[in-house]
Amino acid sequence: MQHFDLAIIGTGSGNSIIDERFSSKRIAVIERGSFGGTCLNAGCIPTKMLVHTADLAHAARHGARFGLGTTVEEVDWTAIQERVFGRIDPIEASGREYRSGHADNSNVTVFAGTARFTGAKELGIEPNGGGRATTITADEIVIAAGSRPTIPGIAGLDEIDYHTSDTIMRVPELPKRLAIIGGGFVAAEFAHVFSALGVEVTLIARSSTLLRGEDADIAERFTDIASARWDTRLARKTVRAEALDRGTRLTLEGPAGEELLDTDAVLIAVGRTPNTDLLDVPAAGIRTTSDGRIAVDEHQRTSIDGIWALGDISSPWGLKHVANHEQRVVQHNLLNPNDLAVTDHRFVPHAVFSAPQIASVGLTEAGAHAAGIDIDVAVQDYADVAYGWAMEDKDGFVKLIADRATGQLVGAHILGAQAATLIQPLIQAMSLGFEARSLARGQYWIHPALPEAVENALLKLPARR
Ligand SMILES: Cc1cc2nc3c(=O)[nH]c(=O)nc-3n(C[C@H](O)[C@H](O)[C@H](O)COP(=O)(O)OP(=O)(O)OC[C@H]3O[C@@H](n4cnc5c(N)ncnc54)[C@H](O)[C@@H]3O)c2cc1C
Ligand SMILES: NC(=O)c1ccc[n+]([C@@H]2O[C@H](COP(=O)([O-])OP(=O)(O)OC[C@H]3O[C@@H](n4cnc5c(N)ncnc54)[C@H](O)[C@@H]3O)[C@@H](O)[C@H]2O)c1
């Protein structure tokens, strides 16, 4: 049985732990899928490359507003895929090659297979493609095994060829019609991507609002815009799926009773399930949360000494920048056992890269009330700042929520063009403890740039009494 100083399960953020400071340690890296994990291969990176393409197509379709006779004359799906995967796939291959064969990694053994705990510090590894399992032991283990798309219990689903975010970007041809089940991040982003490329999109959501985790004003505005752009079926339950000679029929139940929806392709986008179950963590005695994640403390330690976890398998956020932050904490703690670092989850931002974009950090208005905070709220429309006029914007707005007692922001929410970029000074203010109005007046804001929407929202908060 091979013994290692450190075993890392999963090569998403887990892979970034290893650097020259670990060169004296014998390290095992175990990966069952694509090297580099979800973000690189099937998540953030390919989706945003497609979103950029979709943004260009969407803008071209709306040129008339600016006196331009632009149209989308051709959508060459093969060329679009080649741009995206022609860049990503070589990065995956070179990442695997670097860890497996480069002199920098002579202390690292890469196993292509599925790890499963067989004891506290013991892992069985089933090689991809079958063959005899290997058992290894390690003094320290980092679980960075991520999550996978959740598949809901819909009658007949097993009998149709449905897609998830893992497969939809690699379909050989664009479908004419696409039904998306779910109303969250993945649904909002892929609805934009595929509709901008000319696919007829139907969004099927259980709740009466899309993106219902967002501040209510943001979710409501987004739902209105989405309903105008896509065939949006809200408050619908998908109860059955059946294969037709060509395509699929979905049976929905909603306020008006039963509906039948025929489509060429189905995308399931109802959340993600942590990969804890693949690892048989009870065999190691590792504690899990009620929703199946691995429980960790503020140092990313699991309940078993010497076993750490990070990213989607333990984090409730499911975001790459959180997985990366936790990876840096675990890396530090492996190197400095007597000076442990603590994760900072105070102000975790997120963005939804749809059209319009959404970005958010901190509490929603309802969340601030629920937390008993006495708040001021300020809203600034893009339409009332100069660059908003230039863009003919009608939908975008910045919403700020400040603690009346301290003058500090407790939440910031933006819907509109470049929301994910515009929100950064607000994340900075919250993280570094700047008072909201001093953020507005303590610096120049470039005129007539879009951040003036943020500046004006800050100035709408009352001066501190
Ligand atoms: C479509 C989509 C778009 C996204 N867009 C964004 C975005 O724009 N911004 C953002 O912040 N986040 C985004 N995310 C979320 C982001 O991708 C994840 O939060 C992040 O990749 C999690 O990293 P991780 O290292 O925890 O897990 P992963 O990157 O999933 O890595 C885990 C690895 O472990 C491997 N593995 C699992 N079980 C085992 C086992 N038993 N043995 C061996 N190997 C195993 C898996 O094959 C995988 O490669 C998106 C996700 C999706 C699905
Ligand atoms: N831009 C980004 O940062 C980004 C983009 C994509 C994905 N992600 C990450 O990936 C995760 C997964 O995305 P997602 O959109 O799949 O999940 P999500 O949690 O964002 O949304 C899931 C949606 O599915 C609905 N739902 C849940 N169970 C259902 C069921 N049985 N039937 C019908 N609807 C159901 C929920 O009400 C919700 O609307 C996100 O939560 C996020 O962490 C991030």
Side-chain angles (χ1 to χ4, degrees), residues 38 43-44 47-48 147-154 165 181-190 204-207 209-213 236-238 268-272 312 316-321 349-354 358:
T38 303
C44 337
T47 53
K48 268 77 257 184
S147 61
R148 62 181 185 275
T150 301
I151 307 304
I154 297 171
S165 54
I181 302 177
F185 284 62
V186 170
E189 292 185 354
F190 280 121
I204 306 158
R206 263 190 330 193
S207 50
T209 321
L210 300 170
L211 298 175
R212 67 198 167 108
R236 304 298 205 285
K237 194 170 175 218
T238 309
I268 302 290
V270 300
R272 290 179 70 82
D312 282 13
W317 285 282
L319 296 166
K320 181 63 173 172
H321 40 275
H350 68 262
V352 184
F353 296 82
S354 187
I358 288 169

Side-chain angles (χ1 to χ4, degrees), residues 11-19 99 320 324 327 331:
T11 61
S13 294
N15 186 45
S16 305
I17 289 174
I18 308 169
D19 65 17
R99 277 284 176 253
K320 181 63 173 172
N324 284 345
Q327 169 265 312
Q331 184 186 50

Side-chain angles (χ1 to χ4, degrees), residues 224-239:
D224 288 347
I225 296 166
S227 303
R229 187 170 166 203
W230 306 308
D231 173 8
T232 302
R233 314 279 179 104
L234 302 173
R236 304 298 205 285
K237 194 170 175 218
T238 309
V239 292

